[in-house]
Amino acid sequence: MDIRSAHFLISSPREAQCPPPDRPEYAFIGRSNVGKSSLINMLTGRNGLAKVSGTPGKTTLINHFLVNGSGEEKGWYLVDLPGYGFAKRSKKQREQWQQMLAGYLQQRVNLQTVFVLIDSRLTPQQIDINFINQLGAWGVPFNIVFTKSDKNKQSETARHVKQFLHTLSESWETLPEHFITSAVKKTGREKVLSYIDSLNGTL
Ligand code: GDP
């Protein structure tokens, strides 16, 4: 899929304030510093679109971007969700985040899938597994994007991916789609965009 236009629309504190659910939507989430902003910029080909390494944990907002939605085209929404694992978040902020996220993920009717980002340099982390299991409990469709694959040898990345999927298979009968990406080398861009394109086509 070609990206012809991409721009920031709005940040919303809760699902009810998000733009009308009138086009397919794809949300991105992961642990702080996993490479989410870099991935969003890489996919859209817009370097400053999502802020790379902004103030971690500062916000609990749902950030909407409109992609390929200019002129005659309806396009699709890309959503940047505040991630988990911020050490600096207060108890109150954590509760706000949880409420916002639970509401958004369970109520957003046009949400096609959630891209859960996993750092490909790491062995399986409990915090990621817990988050994925929570998605399962809510019945939210998701897939996995392994990030920063340029930082390790290919064999090491492959080992971590295998370990992660193996850990998931302990609680999941079928495994989700997964993608191996690097924002630096633009690895995986076409695959992720084709996947989005194929889901767009089902509407
Ligand atoms: P976020 O907090 O999840 O939005 O993560 P960022 O996109 O801000 O990335 C965190 C750090 O990892 C930054 O220093 C990025 O430059 C770096 N980073 C992100 N993606 C990649 C990648 O694919 N390869 C490499 N080598 N570094 C990356």
Side-chain angles (χ1 to χ4, degrees), residues 30-42 50-54 56 80 86 117 121 147-151 181-186:
R31 216 171 160 184
S32 117
N33 221 32
V34 69
K36 179 166 51 84
S37 309
S38 306
L39 180 81
I40 291 173
N41 291 341
M42 183 272 264
K51 290 193 189 82
V52 174
S53 288
D80 183 357
F86 292 112
L117 276 55
R121 294 171 305 172
T147 62
K148 307 189 187 180
S149 67
D150 61 289
K151 285 219 175 192
T181 66
S182 156
V184 171
K185 293 196 170 171
K186 299 193 168 41

Side-chain angles (χ1 to χ4, degrees), residues 1-5 26 43-44 67-68 73 75-76 189-201:
M1 168 175 31
D2 292 335
I3 303 294
R4 289 171 293 280
S5 65
Y26 303 88
L43 290 175
T44 55
V67 183
N68 287 351
E73 288 186 303
W76 47 278
R189 183 171 187 269
E190 280 312 312
K191 284 196 174 146
V192 173
L193 290 178
S194 301
Y195 183 66
I196 290 175
D197 208 21
S198 69
L199 291 179
N200 281 342

Side-chain angles (χ1 to χ4, degrees), residues 2-130:
D2 292 335
I3 303 294
R4 289 171 293 280
S5 65
H7 64 269
F8 170 74
L9 272 188
I10 193 169
S11 295
S12 321
R14 60 180 68 88
E15 194 274 335
Q17 281 149 293
C18 288
D22 56 358
R23 53 201 98 197
E25 182 155 316
Y26 303 88
F28 291 75
I29 194 165
R31 216 171 160 184
S32 117
N33 221 32
V34 69
K36 179 166 51 84
S37 309
S38 306
L39 180 81
I40 291 173
N41 291 341
M42 183 272 264
L43 290 175
T44 55
R46 306 292 188 278
N47 261 337
L49 199 65
K51 290 193 189 82
V52 174
S53 288
T55 328
K58 205 185 105 193
T59 148
T60 51
L61 298 174
I62 305 161
N63 303 295
H64 271 82
F65 298 84
L66 178 61
V67 183
N68 287 351
S70 51
E72 300 273 283
E73 288 186 303
K74 196 137 172 90
W76 47 278
Y77 290 132
L78 185 157
V79 169
D80 183 357
L81 292 171
Y84 43 95
F86 292 112
K88 285 190 183 142
R89 222 174 238 164
S90 67
K91 188 162 177 267
K92 189 165 176 249
Q93 282 171 324
R94 270 205 305 277
E95 282 167 6
Q96 274 176 348
W97 172 81
Q98 244 153 14
Q99 241 179 35
M100 175 280 286
L101 201 70
Y104 169 79
L105 291 172
Q106 292 176 98
Q107 290 158 22
R108 192 68 177 161
V109 292
N110 59 330
L111 182 62
Q112 304 301 297
T113 188
V114 177
F115 289 93
V116 181
L117 276 55
I118 303 292
D119 192 327
S120 71
R121 294 171 305 172
L122 307 178
T123 53
Q125 304 288 301
Q126 198 56 47
I127 189 169
D128 293 320
I129 303 291
N130 289 349

